[in-house]
Amino acid sequence: MEISRRDALAGAAAVAAAPLLAATPARAAAPAADKQAPSFYRYKVGDIQVTVVSDGRFTFPLQDSFITNAKKEEVNAVLENAFLPRDIFTIYFAPLVINTGGKLVVIDTGNGPVARQKVKTNGAFAENMAAAGFDPNAVDMVVISHFHTDHVNGLLSADGTPAFPNAEVLVPATEWKFWMDDGEMSRASGERMTGLFKNNRNIFDAGLKRKVTPYEWGKEVAPGLLAVESVGHTPGHTSYVLSSGSGKVFIQSDVTNNPCLFATHPGWHAFFDQDADVAEKTRRRVYDMLVAEKLQVQGFHYPFPGLGNIEKDGDGYRVVPAPWNPTI
Ligand SMILES: [Zn+2]
């Protein structure tokens, strides 16, 4: 193809005009964005659609007491090995919204609106859920894994009323019995445990007026969602197997926290595991099962979106995150 003399001249004219355009104020630098994209991620398990909805993160100074049987310097060495900063630690939170075709089911609810106002980096479940196109009024069931603040506080709106007004709230029967027992509450010692009892009474007494349905392990709590005992972190801590057709995923809840420390070092006891020895036994049992069955796992405290596979690595385990899929 030949360039005609006329085209060449037109091109030359355009080049000559360019410096004038460059001098106009319309060429100012693009402004930097001030926030991240809404954080939600969808995938399918058979015919069931899962949406992981981020509640945000919490970053805090690493204390010597964070892991009761490891020194801060040992923890720092593992963080450095994972290319993470020393002396601070980040915990992520990721509730789920599951569309079974017949029911819209939420699993755990994040840190809630009070945290959103105070901490700012978490409590984002409600707004990320809205960004994902879900109406809280349309939720049929809310399934709770255990009664820690980052899982139950999103049950209430900022004004203290139920955040999912039309949903049945399902709670592990053993967890319910423990936290609602006045004797257990009176025997609780230390600021943390007494605070947790107080918070649970506020959520379930004042907020939900005890309108909950306790559920047992070994049974389906929602279509395709089997409740599995995984105690230690709390007395009634629960995980789930979600299955549909040939699709299957293990929803671990808090069997480990952020895996960069607790999958790699399953013997490390975080201060928030209520019975640390039982929690460790559960962790090893569950992770050995995930390895043996090549079962995918969804982790509430994994870095977002928290879907991965597990492989054995020495005395511990390695999480291999599932690649981000741009289609559903
Ligand atoms: Zn948690």
Side-chain angles (χ1 to χ4, degrees):
M1 200 166 70
E2 252 179 65
I3 297 170
S4 72
R5 189 176 136 75
R6 182 188 293 217
D7 286 343
L9 285 173
V15 169
L20 285 173
L21 286 173
T24 62
R27 294 285 298 251
D34 62 356
K35 62 177 172 212
Q36 186 52 275
S39 303
F40 58 88
Y41 179 71
R42 300 189 210 278
Y43 62 92
K44 284 188 87 177
V45 177
D47 294 329
I48 296 175
Q49 190 173 81
V50 178
T51 307
V52 188
V53 180
S54 176
D55 186 61
R57 64 161 169 85
F58 184 53
T59 301
F60 52 93
L62 190 61
Q63 305 285 350
D64 238 331
S65 55
F66 179 58
I67 294 173
T68 59
N69 60 349
K71 295 243 178 317
K72 186 175 160 183
E73 273 319 298
E74 295 175 76
V75 179
N76 267 331
V78 173
L79 290 175
E80 271 193 331
N81 201 33
F83 305 98
L84 294 167
R86 296 167 57 89
D87 299 326
I88 58 168
F89 191 60
T90 294
I91 289 179
Y92 302 88
F93 312 93
L96 305 175
V97 181
I98 293 175
N99 190 338
T100 68
K103 299 275 181 204
L104 197 59
V105 183
V106 164
I107 303 183
D108 289 334
T109 62
N111 292 275
V114 177
R116 190 66 182 145
Q117 284 155 17
K118 280 191 187 160
V119 187
K120 306 227 188 312
T121 57
N122 60 55
F125 179 51
E127 62 198 65
N128 278 325
M129 208 181 136
F134 294 113
D135 174 2
N137 293 302
V139 173
D140 298 298
M141 310 166 91
V142 179
V143 179
I144 297 294
S145 68
H146 65 292
F147 285 12
H148 281 169
T149 54
D150 50 325
H151 300 258
V152 300
N153 282 10
L155 279 165
L156 301 185
S157 302
D159 64 0
T161 59
F164 306 96
N166 302 315
E168 180 184 15
V169 176
L170 294 110
V171 297
T174 307
E175 191 77 351
W176 177 256
K177 191 166 174 289
F178 175 77
W179 293 103
M180 304 312 279
D181 185 304
D182 291 340
E184 293 289 1
M185 185 158 79
S186 69
R187 286 190 293 277
S189 64
E191 202 182 324
R192 182 169 174 275
M193 284 302 283
T194 52
L196 282 170
F197 272 101
K198 216 173 130 196
N199 185 67
N200 284 327
R201 296 305 172 99
N202 179 51
I203 299 286
F204 292 106
D205 273 339
L208 296 184
K209 319 282 185 220
R210 298 202 176 211
K211 266 195 275 168
V212 301
T213 308
Y215 65 81
E216 303 289 340
W217 295 314
K219 289 184 179 156
E220 274 201 353
V221 287
L225 189 69
L226 178 75
V228 179
E229 174 267 311
S230 56
V231 300
H233 181 60
T234 65
H237 182 269
T238 302
S239 303
Y240 311 90
V241 176
L242 180 68
S243 47
S244 166
S246 60
K248 208 174 181 188
V249 67
F250 189 84
I251 299 167
Q252 73 149 19
S253 312
D254 289 17
V255 170
T256 72
N257 198 279
N258 189 331
C260 70
L261 293 186
F262 301 103
T264 57
H265 294 75
W268 279 1
H269 296 175
F271 75 89
F272 42 64
D273 283 342
Q274 197 173 321
D275 187 329
D277 290 327
V278 174
E280 179 186 340
K281 281 198 188 83
T282 295
R283 194 151 48 240
R284 292 184 185 278
R285 170 170 58 82
V286 166
Y287 274 57
D288 283 343
M289 180 275 292
L290 295 174
V291 171
E293 295 193 17
K294 291 190 160 60
L295 187 53
Q296 273 200 316
V297 60
Q298 174 70 46
F300 186 87
H301 291 298
Y302 280 22
F304 186 78
L307 179 67
N309 281 88
I310 306 298
E311 57 185 12
K312 191 89 177 102
D313 183 20
D315 181 49
Y317 308 87
R318 181 165 36 218
V319 178
V320 181
W324 183 282
N325 186 348
T327 60
I328 298 172

